[in-house]
Amino acid sequence: MTISNYLKNIRKKVLLSKINLFFWKIYALFVALFLAVLMLENVFYFSLETRQKILFSTIFAASSIILVYLIYILIAHNNVIKKYKLSTIALNIGEYSFNRKDMILNAFQLENSKNQTGSLELQKSFIDKVQSQIVDVDQKPLLPIARIVFWKKFTLFILLTTVLSIAFTWNHSVSSLYRLAHTNTKFLPPVPFEITSESKYIGILGGESAIVEFSSTSNRPDSITVEFKPLAFNENEDSLILKAAYNDDGVYKASLDNVYQNYRYRAYVLSDKFWNPWNEITTKSYSISVTDRPSISDVTFTISSPKYTKLPSRQQKANQSEIQAIIGSEIYVALRSNKRLENASLILNEDKLKMSTRNDKADFRFIMEKEGKFFISLKDERGISNRNPIPFHLKAIPDLNPKMSILKPAPIIEIGGEQTIPIRMDIKDDFGFTKLQLAYEIHRPEYIDAEPKISMFNIAIPDLNENEQEISTNWNVGDLALMPDDEIHFHFELYDNDPLTGPKKEVSSTFIARIPSLNELFASFENSEDEILNDAEKELSAIKKLNNKIKEARLELLKTDDPSWEQQQKTKETLREIDKQISSFQKLNEKLSALNSQSKKHDLFSEGITEKFEDLQKLIKEIFPPEMFDDIDDIREALEDLDVNEMLSALEDISNNLNNIEQELDRFLDIFQRIKVEQKIDEIRKRIEQLVKNQDNLDQQIRSINKQTDPSVFKRLSQEQKINNKELSNIIDEMKNSINGIKKVSRKTAQELENLAESNSTDLTKKHLKETVKNLDNQKPFQAMDASYSGMQSMQSMESSMNQISSNFQKQASREMAKKFRFILRDLLSISKSQELLRAEAENIPPNSPRKNDLASEQQLLQDQLVKTMKKTMDLSKETFLVTSDMGQSLGQANAQMNTSKTKLAERNSKGSLNNQTQAMTALNKSVKSIIQTINSMNEGGSASGYEEFLKQMKNMSAMQKSVNDQGMQLALGQMAPSLKASIISRMLGQQRDIQNSLKQVMNEISKSGKQGLGDLNGISSEIDEVLNELTKNIYDKKTNDRQQKILSRMLNSQKSMTQRGVKDERKSKTASQVSSAAPKGLPSDLGQRKSIIMNAMDEALSAGYSREYQGMIQKYFNSLNTLEAYSVSDTLGNN
Amino acid sequence: MLLINRHKIYRQFFILILTSIISAQDFNIARIQYSGGGDWYADPSSLPNLIDFISDKTNIKIENSEYKIKLTSESLYGHTFLYLTGHGNIRFSDEEIGALRNHLLKGAFLHADDNYGMHDSFKREMKKVFPEKEWVELPIEHPIYSCYFNLPNGLPKIHEHNGKPPQGLGLFDNKRLIVFFTYESDLGDGWEDSEVHNNPEVVRQSALQMGTNIVWFSLTQ
């Protein structure tokens, strides 16, 4: 046998062994698999599909493996696989059986070698040798005999296991085998229990609940799942409803509520153990059929609000279950159902209301009276009603309270002289208004102890239907007869236009309007004045300090060319202080402005005083000259550029300006002090004047009472008298307190004031007024009248004296001022004249005259005199505003020109100085003119062309005459004791004499002034003489009374005529320029005559020759007829 | 020309006769003294100057000085030419109203000259005197402006007053002018001494001429 054959043989054996081994492996595997599948089938009861899969996959796997292995063997047999190549086998054999493992291989190779090189015999020998040796080789190592044995054993083991397993699970295994063998047959796994539907097919009405029942056989589960599936189930849209039903003694129940559509249902139990052969135990599917109920397809609510709201109707659909409306709104419900309706009801807050129906429609109308809810019940023709209707909620929209926001007045105000309270407010309501009222209470001062007076009135609302509007009106409280210290507490009440629940009211907070007493007003004014004076003094002090600082800063800057950082900071600090001063002055100005406003509002002072205060305010306002602000800017710029020269220059200018400001402020303080004094006198005069008016008013009221008058009237009058008494005390105190202040300005006036304060008339006034109060409290009307009247007289006397004091003071002040101006004028005229002479001399002096040397010194003398005069003017400027800046400028110019002239004269340049001297004279003359004008205006201001003064005096006299006449009325009124009568006559006589004297004085002044008017006054004077005559004889009768009335009316007439006489400047005798005539072309045909039967009759009657008295009566009669005729004609024309 | 001159001569002759007939009491001008407060005595030199002018320029025999008379005076009826002026308030009593009415209806003539300011009160009072009559403005062509001196522009404007055109207003009784009220003119100021108001002489002359015309017209209408 060749080696090749041998090797082939061995290979064959090896391959066969491998096949064997493979077989046993496969066999073991399949037995194991068989066992596994069988056991699994026992447990899991594979489904048909699973069994089929197992079968097919087994067959497939087996076939594949066998096929693959056979192909492998085939390939190996063809010497492709290295492991089974003959050479490899030769090596393998050689390795365990020969010394040299490659002997066989060599021999094999020699055997197969075609290229025979070398010794053939040797080769053959070798090959034979090997052949002989390989015969005895053991082939077993090449064969997997052990492994085959192993696998055989293993297979046996598996088989045994299989058999035993089958044996132990015989029943199951047999069944499993059967099932595995019948892969096309479906076998149901055994279930532990069954579920049966008890309810089966169910029919219900829409909206009802469907209850399903199930039962189960043994091994009942605790719960089952019931599945409800809509009949028209759409997997993407619908969802299954799953409910759990619990074991209740073998019965399982589940319900589906509100069923409106058809369902199918079943019950099932899912396997809860994975080894269970069944997945679920289920019942059959049964159906639930639903019968339709009637329902609302569409409903609309129409809401109409009450008319007063003027809101439009609106509609709402059922998608909003809340209906919001105002109480009183009408709600209209209109619906359509899906069925024809037999009836429909609206259940509103448990009241069932029948709706009107028609086919499938229904509607109903109701008024919403309160909040609540309603729902709609339908019944169709089958008698089926709707189920669970939607409740609709009625929610009331509230009609809100009106609102007002009051812009004016402020919560607490003072009522000024105009006696009006401006009212500005915004009112708002959702639907409109009914009225706006103002309710007020008048509170008298505590010491009066009076009940408050309460009242109310309407304020017109422009448009009651406008929801938002502004109310603007003024409340005139003048009619309320308010007294100083009275308070009006008032509030506003606004009503809306809600007619259903009644207009709602909004009440504002309480406002208080006070009538400040004159005492308070003046006291407050004085406080403000003192404050202003203090502030002004502080400002002055501050300005002085600031000026010093600036001077110091200047001095320091002079020492250097380059300001240090400290110097710069100092300068900046100075600038900041200047800014601060400017704002302080602004505040001072504001205070002055407030003072002026207060005085104007309450009409505290005369026009003259008010003007002076305004002048003061102007002074403060303009105290900082405009160039000062430029200087401040210059310093700032210079600081930035570090320009010392500029800084020095600007600082110097500022310093000069501050000097001027100091002077102006000084002036302000001096003038202010003076004005304060004037103002004090004016205040006292005004208060007395007001008190007299008040007392006169009160006196009139007292005269109207009698014993039958209601006690409340006495009480009220007594209260008002107390107010007057208090004011009188205040005035007297004020007079005494102000004496010292006034003394500084006018000793005479202070003395007069003191005398008045302590005079008999003042004491009498106090006494009589107290008596008046006492008599009123005791309800003694006539005694009260007497006392009041006497008090009135004394008070009028006080007033007259005070007016005189005030007038004298004014005149004295004017005279003194005029005197001072005249002194200055005289000086200036003298200087001007001397300057003229000097000029003449300078013009004509020969060139070499020794006098030339003296001219300069003469000029110097004149300049010195001018400087003195200038100083006087400066001092005067501190007392009055009449020293104007123009005057100052003129004097300054004159001084400057004189200085220049003096210099030139000193240089013996007399010709050169002429121009300067001329200019000096011009400037002097200008200031003289200005002073003359000032003096003239002062004179005229005292009595503008004389008539103003005369009018004032006439007015005073008229007031005095009225007082005398009133006393006469007293006498004429009734019986009185002779002593009292004599006392009154005596008083009247004295007063009438005073009037006569005043009148004569006026007449004297008029005749001196050359003015006209004497004719009236002569007549008045002669009448007064007659009255004096009668009073002296202690006679007072009707004739005397008539005369006195005539005197008064003539006085009043003369005042009127003086006013109308063209006292004012408008009437000047100025020759007219030619004006073309506007006369008509012809005369009217009737020549302006109207036929009058009455007048003709009168003329006839008058010419009948009756006496004068009769003629007077006839005229009166016919004139009255004529008047009646005129009225009737105008009535007729009016009616037409 | 001759015709016109003849008329003038006749007229002057008539005046002469008339004034001669009543020479027992020469023609005079009486200034009314009224109450009410107004200055009835205003322009004291006006009437004397007018009287002088009339005496100088016409043949009217006129008394040298004016009379000052109250309407309630019994001697009122002795004065047929009444003059009233002033600046202020005029007030007539009932008696004065009756007397004035009577006198004017019986042939008297009143010239009222507004010195500035009496217009309202004067008209008011005159309404009481003649309630049935209305004021009539005389046209430029009225004889009063040309009866003696020809004033082609009508009533001259002497002083500025309110800057309005001058008006000559009249009250008539039938066809007779009984009251002539010069308004926005101020003839009285025009008659005053020249140094009083320093009016240009032309203006003064026109005032005097107008005053003459008024007197002449009152006598010849």
Side-chain angles (χ1 to χ4, degrees):
Chain A
M1 184 186 298
T2 59
I3 295 172
S4 298
N5 291 337
Y6 178 77
L7 286 172
K8 285 181 183 171
N9 225 8
I10 292 194
R11 187 168 68 186
K12 191 178 171 183
K13 280 184 184 174
V14 167
L15 288 173
L16 282 171
S17 297
K18 289 283 186 194
I19 291 168
N20 197 6
L21 178 63
F22 175 73
F23 168 78
W24 284 108
K25 279 184 181 173
I26 291 295
Y27 186 47
L29 183 66
F30 274 109
V31 172
L33 270 174
F34 171 77
L35 178 65
V37 167
L38 187 70
M39 290 302 121
L40 284 173
E41 176 61 30
N42 282 347
V43 173
F44 293 111
Y45 269 75
F46 291 133
S47 64
L48 183 137
E49 292 80 20
T50 307
R51 281 183 276 124
Q52 281 177 346
K53 279 180 189 163
I54 291 170
L55 177 66
F56 288 131
S57 53
T58 304
I59 294 169
F60 179 75
S63 306
S64 301
I65 290 168
I66 291 166
L67 189 65
V68 165
Y69 201 75
L70 285 174
I71 292 168
Y72 182 75
I73 294 295
L74 195 64
I75 293 170
H77 192 265
N78 289 331
N79 214 36
V80 175
I81 301 171
K82 185 181 176 185
K83 190 177 166 186
Y84 297 105
K85 277 186 177 178
L86 294 174
S87 55
T88 309
I89 293 172
L91 271 172
N92 289 342
I93 297 171
E95 195 172 335
Y96 72 82
S97 60
F98 290 88
N99 294 335
R100 281 188 22 236
K101 64 177 183 180
D102 60 349
M103 267 186 75
I104 300 175
L105 179 62
N106 290 338
F108 171 68
Q109 284 174 342
L110 282 170
E111 196 180 75
N112 291 324
S113 167
K114 291 195 174 124
N115 200 3
Q116 302 261 337
T117 56
S119 172
L120 287 174
E121 287 178 9
L122 195 64
Q123 286 179 7
K124 194 171 180 292
S125 170
F126 179 69
I127 293 168
D128 290 336
K129 186 184 172 185
V130 168
Q131 278 178 344
S132 65
Q133 281 180 341
I134 61 175
V135 171
D136 295 325
V137 166
D138 187 7
Q139 296 174 358
K140 283 185 185 170
L142 293 173
L143 303 172
I145 297 171
R147 287 164 65 195
I148 292 169
V149 170
F150 167 75
W151 277 103
K152 279 183 181 175
K153 285 180 184 171
F154 185 70
T155 304
L156 182 67
F157 169 73
I158 295 291
L159 275 170
L160 275 172
T161 307
T162 303
V163 168
L164 282 170
S165 300
I166 290 170
F168 280 122
T169 60
W170 177 251
N171 289 335
H172 292 291
S173 296
V174 166
S175 312
S176 298
L177 269 171
Y178 184 82
R179 288 195 300 274
L180 285 170
H182 295 85
T183 54
N184 291 327
T185 308
K186 193 170 180 181
F187 296 98
L188 290 175
V191 291
F193 57 87
E194 276 188 353
I195 308 168
T196 315
S197 172
E198 299 299 330
S199 47
K200 296 198 174 40
Y201 296 98
I202 297 171
I204 54 171
L205 293 174
E208 283 181 348
S209 298
I211 299 173
V212 297
E213 272 186 28
F214 300 91
S215 61
S216 74
T217 53
S218 57
N219 292 332
R220 294 183 182 120
D222 290 330
S223 65
I224 60 173
T225 303
V226 181
E227 177 194 274
F228 296 94
K229 185 171 167 183
L231 201 62
F233 180 72
N234 186 336
E235 203 154 326
N236 293 327
E237 289 174 13
D238 299 322
S239 52
L240 297 171
I241 300 168
L242 300 173
K243 288 188 184 249
Y246 294 94
N247 183 5
D248 182 14
D249 200 21
V251 175
Y252 302 86
K253 276 189 189 166
S255 72
L256 185 65
D257 298 324
N258 296 325
V259 181
Y260 287 100
Q261 60 175 317
N262 297 333
Y263 284 88
R264 290 194 72 77
Y265 76 95
R266 69 183 179 100
Y268 63 89
V269 175
L270 292 171
S271 167
D272 56 354
K273 294 185 178 65
F274 70 93
W275 60 80
N276 279 337
W278 49 275
N279 289 328
E280 78 175 14
I281 301 168
T282 183
T283 62
K284 277 169 66 176
S285 287
Y286 296 95
S287 60
I288 301 171
S289 303
V290 176
T291 306
D292 269 349
R293 286 181 184 270
S295 63
I296 298 171
S297 310
D298 183 34
V299 65
T300 306
F301 303 103
T302 305
I303 301 133
S304 304
S305 300
K307 276 197 183 125
Y308 79 89
T309 64
K310 298 193 174 38
L311 292 171
S313 299
R314 58 188 168 84
Q315 286 191 338
Q316 189 175 314
K317 287 288 187 184
N319 55 350
Q320 289 172 267
S321 66
E322 189 177 84
I323 297 170
Q324 292 186 348
I326 296 166
I327 299 288
S329 299
E330 183 193 77
I331 316 275
Y332 173 64
V333 183
L335 65 86
R336 197 172 72 247
S337 173
N338 60 341
K339 301 275 185 230
R340 288 172 70 90
L341 297 169
E342 187 187 311
N343 62 53
S345 308
L346 188 137
I347 293 96
L348 174 64
N349 293 331
E350 292 171 25
D351 291 328
K352 192 167 177 178
L353 307 162
K354 193 171 172 188
M355 296 176 78
S356 60
T357 54
R358 193 175 65 253
N359 295 330
D360 58 348
K361 293 194 175 74
D363 63 74
F364 186 73
R365 209 179 284 269
F366 67 95
I367 301 291
M368 178 175 154
E369 289 171 0
K370 58 180 178 184
E371 285 191 339
K373 68 178 180 191
F374 69 91
F375 53 90
I376 298 167
S377 167
L378 305 172
K379 193 187 264 188
D380 63 13
E381 287 170 332
R382 301 168 297 172
I384 299 174
S385 56
N386 62 336
R387 190 182 168 77
N388 294 332
I390 301 168
F392 294 95
H393 295 270
L394 293 172
K395 193 159 165 61
I397 298 174
D399 180 353
L400 299 169
N401 279 18
K403 292 264 174 277
M404 54 181 157
S405 63
I406 296 162
L407 308 167
K408 273 187 187 177
I412 300 179
I413 55 166
E414 273 186 6
I415 299 176
E418 72 285 354
Q419 296 263 298
T420 56
I421 299 174
I423 296 170
R424 307 275 181 276
M425 64 168 80
D426 291 330
I427 56 173
K428 223 188 266 194
D429 184 61
D430 33 16
F431 302 118
F433 308 96
T434 309
K435 63 181 171 181
L436 172 64
Q437 285 183 324
L438 188 151
Y440 65 91
E441 273 183 69
I442 299 176
H443 290 245
R444 300 277 183 200
E446 278 176 15
Y447 58 83
I448 296 298
D449 189 28
E451 290 295 321
K453 179 187 161 189
I454 297 168
S455 188
M456 188 180 260
F457 63 91
N458 283 351
I459 297 173
I461 298 175
D463 184 353
L464 291 171
N465 297 321
E466 187 69 43
N467 295 359
E468 278 187 46
Q469 47 192 302
E470 199 187 286
I471 303 291
S472 177
T473 183
N474 289 321
W475 177 22
N476 185 354
V477 297
D479 299 332
L480 298 178
L482 297 167
M483 305 285 278
D485 274 345
D486 283 349
E487 286 182 357
I488 311 176
H489 292 227
F490 61 98
H491 63 269
F492 300 94
E493 294 177 3
L494 179 64
Y495 294 81
D496 74 358
N497 63 349
D498 178 2
L500 298 168
T501 59
K504 289 180 283 299
K505 186 165 83 165
E506 169 80 1
V507 178
S508 74
S509 55
T510 303
F511 294 80
I512 299 177
R514 291 191 64 245
I515 308 287
S517 63
L518 278 177
N519 198 30
E520 274 178 14
L521 286 171
F522 282 119
S524 154
F525 193 87
E526 208 172 315
N527 286 341
S528 303
E529 279 181 315
D530 290 339
E531 242 181 70
I532 288 170
L533 269 175
N534 280 342
D535 288 347
E537 278 165 4
K538 280 184 193 158
E539 292 303 324
L540 183 61
S541 166
I543 294 279
K544 282 181 180 157
K545 281 187 193 155
L546 183 59
N547 207 4
N548 289 337
K549 262 192 181 172
I550 289 173
K551 285 175 182 160
E552 277 172 26
R554 257 197 96 240
L555 282 171
E556 286 194 26
L557 280 173
L558 279 169
K559 296 174 194 166
T560 176
D561 288 332
D562 184 23
S564 67
W565 186 84
E566 282 85 12
Q567 284 170 333
Q568 288 175 46
Q569 290 307 113
K570 257 191 185 172
T571 312
K572 282 182 184 164
E573 177 64 34
T574 308
L575 286 175
R576 275 195 287 271
E577 284 194 34
I578 293 173
D579 285 336
K580 210 169 129 192
Q581 282 309 312
I582 292 171
S583 59
S584 299
F585 271 97
Q586 275 169 354
K587 282 185 190 140
L588 189 62
N589 184 40
E590 279 162 22
K591 279 189 181 173
L592 273 167
S593 175
L595 198 70
N596 279 341
S597 304
Q598 192 189 9
S599 109
K600 278 179 192 164
K601 180 182 173 184
H602 297 286
D603 197 20
L604 292 179
F605 302 115
S606 62
E607 217 176 289
I609 302 275
T610 309
E611 278 175 17
K612 283 177 184 168
F613 274 115
E614 282 173 358
D615 286 335
L616 278 175
Q617 193 185 341
K618 200 179 163 197
L619 191 155
I620 292 294
K621 205 172 170 184
E622 294 169 359
I623 204 165
F624 278 91
E627 52 268 22
M628 186 152 172
F629 297 99
D630 294 334
D631 295 331
I632 293 169
D633 289 336
D634 288 341
I635 292 187
R636 287 205 170 102
E637 277 176 28
L639 265 174
E640 277 173 31
D641 300 336
L642 294 178
D643 185 340
V644 172
N645 291 331
E646 271 300 316
M647 280 167 66
L648 279 170
S649 166
L651 280 172
E652 191 181 343
D653 290 340
I654 288 179
S655 180
N656 290 336
N657 281 324
L658 283 176
N659 285 335
N660 291 338
I661 290 171
E662 264 184 63
Q663 287 170 10
E664 286 291 287
L665 204 47
D666 249 331
R667 194 180 169 212
F668 170 85
L669 282 166
D670 287 336
I671 294 176
F672 198 89
Q673 297 278 13
R674 290 190 70 83
I675 290 176
K676 260 192 84 173
V677 166
E678 279 185 52
Q679 166 253 309
K680 184 53 68 178
I681 295 169
D682 198 45
E683 171 194 329
I684 296 171
R685 182 197 61 77
K686 195 149 178 112
R687 286 173 75 170
I688 294 177
E689 186 183 295
Q690 185 63 42
L691 183 62
V692 166
K693 276 186 196 154
N694 293 346
Q695 187 60 39
D696 189 29
N697 185 26
L698 183 58
D699 188 59
Q700 302 284 345
Q701 294 180 66
I702 292 173
R703 280 167 185 287
S704 63
I705 58 174
N706 53 48
K707 283 197 188 283
Q708 281 74 44
T709 304
D710 193 81
S712 63
V713 175
F714 279 100
K715 194 174 176 195
R716 179 182 60 79
L717 292 173
S718 166
Q719 288 161 358
E720 291 186 23
Q721 187 62 69
K722 282 180 191 164
I723 294 174
N724 283 357
N725 293 6
K726 188 157 193 309
E727 175 62 4
L728 177 66
S729 302
N730 290 339
I731 291 170
I732 294 168
D733 289 341
E734 198 58 44
M735 280 160 72
K736 288 177 182 164
N737 292 341
S738 57
I739 287 169
N740 282 338
I742 295 169
K743 220 182 255 188
K744 293 176 191 165
V745 174
S746 169
R747 296 189 74 86
K748 188 180 170 208
T749 305
Q751 188 59 56
E752 285 174 348
L753 204 59
E754 195 174 3
N755 293 343
L756 179 62
E758 289 163 7
S759 70
N760 198 28
S761 62
T762 307
D763 288 336
L764 274 176
T765 311
K766 281 195 305 205
K767 182 183 148 203
H768 288 309
L769 294 188
K770 272 192 189 140
E771 239 177 77
T772 312
V773 169
K774 190 173 146 197
N775 288 320
L776 286 168
D777 286 341
N778 294 334
Q779 295 185 28
K780 293 179 181 172
F782 301 114
Q783 290 87 328
M785 275 184 221
D786 287 343
S788 164
Y789 190 73
S790 304
M792 184 70 208
Q793 301 312 304
S794 325
M795 206 188 286
Q796 280 174 342
S797 172
M798 269 181 77
E799 185 192 13
S800 175
S801 305
M802 189 63 215
N803 286 339
Q804 197 62 46
I805 293 172
S806 177
S807 168
N808 290 345
F809 175 74
Q810 292 293 339
K811 279 188 193 163
Q812 184 194 350
S814 286
R815 273 197 296 268
E816 282 172 13
M817 203 64 63
K819 195 171 158 187
K820 286 180 184 170
F821 270 108
R822 274 195 281 272
F823 280 139
I824 294 171
L825 179 67
R826 188 193 60 191
D827 291 346
L828 287 175
L829 287 170
S830 159
I831 294 170
S832 179
K833 191 165 177 195
S834 305
Q835 186 67 55
E836 202 179 327
L837 292 170
L838 180 63
R839 190 192 175 284
E841 195 175 342
E843 195 174 14
N844 299 321
I845 196 166
N848 297 319
S849 169
R851 273 280 298 151
K852 270 202 176 180
N853 299 333
D854 298 332
L855 293 180
S857 39
E858 281 178 30
Q859 182 69 80
Q860 177 70 58
L861 273 170
L862 286 177
Q863 191 181 3
D864 291 340
Q865 282 176 29
L866 178 63
V867 165
K868 277 186 195 157
T869 309
M870 283 168 72
K871 185 167 181 315
K872 273 189 203 168
T873 314
M874 287 278 294
D875 291 339
L876 189 58
S877 77
K878 292 187 180 180
E879 294 175 30
T880 176
F881 284 110
L882 292 172
V883 176
T884 61
S885 56
D886 287 343
M887 266 184 225
Q889 272 177 13
S890 308
L891 291 174
Q893 268 174 8
N895 186 31
Q897 293 300 332
M898 280 187 183
N899 201 39
T900 313
S901 161
K902 175 188 72 183
T903 309
K904 286 181 183 172
L905 285 169
E907 292 162 1
R908 295 178 71 83
N909 181 9
S910 55
K911 297 288 182 217
S913 76
L914 288 177
N915 189 33
N916 299 108
Q917 289 186 50
T918 308
Q919 288 195 41
M921 271 162 42
T922 309
L924 280 171
N925 292 340
K926 192 175 165 193
S927 56
V928 159
K929 249 170 109 175
S930 176
I931 290 172
I932 291 172
Q933 271 172 359
T934 302
I935 293 171
N936 283 342
S937 68
M938 282 175 65
N939 285 337
E940 282 172 14
S943 58
S945 67
Y947 278 115
E948 292 278 354
E949 187 58 36
F950 297 147
L951 272 174
K952 225 194 268 182
Q953 290 180 32
M954 286 306 301
K955 199 175 166 188
N956 287 342
M957 277 195 287
S958 304
M960 286 165 69
Q961 186 61 46
K962 186 177 180 306
S963 155
V964 172
N965 289 5
D966 289 342
Q967 291 179 70
M969 288 301 293
Q970 176 115 2
L971 281 175
L973 270 176
Q975 299 281 343
M976 60 173 66
S979 57
L980 183 60
K981 184 177 173 181
S983 139
I984 293 172
I985 290 178
S986 158
R987 195 166 48 237
M988 280 168 65
L989 180 63
Q991 286 170 349
Q992 196 72 76
R993 279 208 182 105
D994 287 341
I995 295 170
Q996 180 70 303
N997 291 337
S998 301
L999 183 64
K1000 285 198 182 323
Q1001 196 181 346
V1002 167
M1003 286 165 66
N1004 198 23
E1005 285 174 7
I1006 287 177
S1007 67
K1008 274 188 197 167
S1009 68
K1011 310 275 182 211
Q1012 292 164 344
L1014 276 175
D1016 304 334
L1017 304 185
N1018 276 326
I1020 294 169
S1021 182
S1022 50
E1023 293 283 354
I1024 292 176
D1025 284 337
E1026 294 287 339
V1027 168
L1028 283 171
N1029 204 17
E1030 284 167 12
L1031 288 175
T1032 311
K1033 293 174 192 167
N1034 213 28
I1035 296 169
Y1036 190 89
D1037 54 19
K1038 189 176 179 313
K1039 216 172 163 188
T1040 324
N1041 185 266
D1042 286 344
R1043 259 195 240 281
Q1044 283 185 319
Q1045 295 303 332
K1046 210 171 164 184
I1047 291 167
L1048 181 60
S1049 61
R1050 288 183 79 161
M1051 279 183 178
L1052 294 170
N1053 277 344
S1054 82
Q1055 282 177 65
K1056 194 172 174 184
S1057 69
M1058 272 194 201
T1059 322
Q1060 291 177 352
R1061 196 173 293 158
V1063 164
K1064 300 200 177 16
D1065 285 339
E1066 290 90 45
R1067 194 256 164 222
K1068 277 189 180 139
S1069 301
K1070 186 180 156 191
T1071 309
S1073 48
Q1074 287 311 302
V1075 177
S1076 312
S1077 171
K1081 288 296 167 193
L1083 288 166
S1085 54
D1086 60 356
L1087 294 175
Q1089 296 169 95
R1090 191 164 47 85
K1091 291 255 182 265
S1092 176
I1093 300 167
I1094 295 170
M1095 297 315 291
N1096 291 343
M1098 185 183 81
D1099 292 334
E1100 277 181 30
L1102 285 173
S1103 37
Y1106 292 104
S1107 66
R1108 276 205 159 184
E1109 286 81 15
Y1110 276 113
Q1111 283 187 3
M1113 281 162 54
I1114 290 165
Q1115 270 170 344
K1116 273 191 187 147
Y1117 169 70
F1118 280 103
N1119 280 335
S1120 62
L1121 279 179
N1122 204 37
T1123 311
L1124 278 171
E1125 187 198 38
Y1127 282 146
S1128 67
V1129 166
S1130 68
D1131 277 348
T1132 312
L1133 287 171
N1135 289 339
N1136 290 340
Chain B
M1 190 71 151
L2 197 60
L3 192 66
I4 291 166
N5 281 341
R6 202 186 301 165
H7 277 294
K8 202 165 178 181
I9 291 163
Y10 287 157
R11 196 175 287 165
Q12 290 199 1
F13 182 70
F14 169 72
I15 297 284
L16 193 61
I17 299 295
L18 184 68
T19 52
S20 299
I21 287 167
I22 54 174
S23 63
Q25 190 167 8
D26 285 346
F27 175 76
N28 59 68
I29 299 176
R31 183 195 283 266
I32 295 176
Q33 182 179 346
Y34 54 82
S35 49
D39 52 343
W40 55 270
Y41 41 79
D43 302 338
S45 65
S46 58
L47 285 180
N49 287 339
L50 178 63
I51 289 167
D52 287 342
F53 188 84
I54 293 172
S55 297
D56 189 38
K57 301 289 182 192
T58 70
N59 292 329
I60 297 172
K61 283 188 77 175
I62 182 167
E63 287 198 38
N64 287 338
S65 51
E66 64 184 87
Y67 283 81
K68 296 179 180 66
I69 193 158
K70 286 187 182 177
L71 291 173
T72 48
S73 168
E74 286 179 5
S75 57
L76 174 68
Y77 299 103
H79 307 280
T80 56
F81 189 95
L82 305 175
Y83 176 72
L84 185 150
T85 190
H87 293 94
N89 190 41
I90 300 173
R91 190 170 294 284
F92 296 145
S93 64
D94 290 342
E95 216 181 318
E96 285 172 329
I97 288 168
L100 183 60
R101 178 185 171 88
N102 213 21
H103 192 41
L104 291 172
L105 287 176
K106 285 198 167 128
F109 182 90
L110 170 64
H111 170 218
D113 180 55
D114 183 11
N115 216 349
Y116 188 77
M118 103 183 187
H119 171 269
D120 291 348
S121 59
F122 176 69
K123 278 196 164 177
R124 181 193 66 217
E125 295 304 303
M126 288 310 294
K127 194 67 188 170
K128 292 177 190 172
V129 177
F130 293 110
E132 77 281 16
K133 295 186 193 300
E134 299 293 337
W135 290 98
V136 170
E137 188 175 353
L138 305 188
I140 297 175
E141 300 79 24
H142 193 275
I144 201 168
Y145 298 118
S146 56
C147 56
Y148 198 84
F149 291 102
N150 189 23
L151 300 167
N153 295 325
L155 183 66
K157 186 150 178 84
I158 308 301
H159 277 165
E160 189 71 22
H161 287 197
N162 290 328
K164 293 182 195 171
Q167 284 181 304
L169 303 165
L171 288 177
F172 287 84
D173 178 36
N174 294 321
K175 290 189 179 169
R176 191 172 76 86
L177 183 68
I178 55 174
V179 181
F180 184 60
F181 176 38
T182 48
Y183 174 57
E184 282 285 327
S185 174
D186 211 343
L187 293 177
D189 275 5
W191 300 335
E192 288 241 78
D193 294 342
S194 51
E195 60 270 16
V196 173
H197 299 294
N198 295 309
N199 292 322
E201 190 54 33
V202 166
V203 170
R204 194 164 171 270
Q205 286 295 314
S206 67
L208 290 164
Q209 287 172 1
M210 185 66 217
T212 308
N213 276 11
I214 296 168
V215 169
W216 186 273
F217 184 81
S218 72
L219 289 172
T220 59
Q221 64 166 330

